[in-house]
Amino acid sequence: MSANKDAYLCSAAKILRRSNERGIMMAITRSRSGLMVVLDASRTIIHQNRDKLRSANTRRKIYRTTYHELSVLSDRDLVDLGIPRSSIRRLALEAAYGQ
């Protein structure tokens, strides 16, 4: 049993080292076994990546909505707004990503 526990602890250390190299902040909790450490570390990484994906999807939705709303306007409406049709993509990127 001791060999298995040591193997789990080595796996946990490798996961933590890799996550720290990537700049991911980890929350380490006290666990009874090495397996629980590995599971806790994996769960933390998954939740952090899930939050990044949600944020990226929200920005992408803003981009798509802005791009679509501007692209369906007629040329005359765009001229009234002072927006050339060639700037629609840039404006949508600025709205979503602040570039």
Side-chain angles (χ1 to χ4, degrees):
M1 186 68 177
S2 176
N4 286 340
K5 188 174 183 180
D6 290 339
Y8 288 132
L9 290 174
C10 283
S11 296
K14 287 178 186 175
I15 289 174
L16 293 175
R17 210 173 311 117
R18 274 189 242 130
S19 64
N20 286 336
E21 288 170 2
R22 294 180 189 153
I24 300 172
M25 299 302 294
M26 303 276 310
I28 305 300
T29 59
R30 292 180 185 216
S31 302
R32 295 183 199 162
S33 70
L35 176 61
M36 292 305 294
V37 171
V38 171
L39 291 175
D40 287 343
S42 300
R43 213 174 285 124
T44 301
I45 292 169
I46 289 169
H47 287 294
Q48 288 172 348
N49 287 334
R50 181 192 63 195
D51 294 340
K52 288 179 186 178
L53 285 173
R54 282 184 180 163
S55 175
N57 284 337
T58 301
R59 288 190 304 263
R60 179 69 182 163
K61 185 176 180 181
I62 291 169
Y63 170 79
R64 283 192 331 253
T65 303
T66 305
Y67 186 87
H68 176 71
E69 288 177 359
L70 290 174
S71 64
V72 297
L73 293 174
S74 68
D75 289 333
R76 183 169 182 104
D77 291 335
L78 288 172
V79 168
D80 288 343
L81 293 171
I83 301 171
R85 190 164 290 280
S86 61
S87 296
I88 291 176
R89 182 174 182 272
R90 180 184 54 82
L91 291 172
L93 284 171
E94 285 178 8
Y97 302 104
Q99 295 177 352

